Amino acid sequence: TKANPDSMRPATFGGSKVRTAHYRWPSLAPAATAGAPAVITGAEATVVVPPGFAFSVDGFGNVVVKGLM
């Protein structure tokens, strides 16, 4: 399932400002997926997903980041 961002805000990647999706980790369901750029914030950690990558959430609630080919 495609994850819906909580907000869209600018972030800097490679010296350029890029419109970036922001997610709250607890609101991401297992099997949720989305492309980059993205920032995922949780109580214990923050994950930055740079351009050229995508993420998914596994059955345990872990965020898995993979590069796009």
Side-chain angles (χ1 to χ4, degrees), residues 6-64:
D6 294 300
S7 65
M8 297 294 290
R9 292 181 268 173
T12 303
F13 292 95
S16 298
K17 285 202 176 205
V18 179
R19 189 171 174 192
T20 303
H22 286 252
Y23 301 87
R24 289 187 195 107
W25 205 319
S27 69
L28 294 170
T33 62
V39 175
I40 305 157
T41 55
E44 293 88 21
T46 298
V47 177
V48 177
V49 184
F53 289 77
F55 76 87
S56 62
V57 179
D58 70 13
F60 297 101
N62 299 306
V63 172
V64 180

